[in-house]
Amino acid sequence: MFFIVAALLMLGVLLGTVAHVPVPVSLVAAIAIAAWLAIFTIRERQHR
């Protein structure tokens, strides 16, 4: 659960700065966060 909160916090910080960075940087950050959440989801489902 902590990881989800941390990911959402990071997403919020990045959304605040997304207007100031180039589009490719924003896309890389979005892909990194999506990958982190996907890995977390897979690990949680396998754990159960």
Side-chain angles (χ1 to χ4, degrees), residues 5-33:
V5 172
L8 290 174
L9 179 65
M10 286 177 48
L11 182 63
V13 169
L14 287 174
L15 284 176
T17 61
V18 76
H20 304 288
V21 295
V23 174
V25 175
S26 299
L27 290 176
V28 168
I31 291 170
I33 292 171

Side-chain angles (χ1 to χ4, degrees), residues 33-48:
I33 292 171
W36 184 23
L37 289 173
I39 290 169
F40 175 77
T41 301
I42 292 169
R43 289 179 62 194
E44 283 294 314
R45 288 186 183 211
Q46 287 178 350
H47 184 65
R48 289 183 186 178

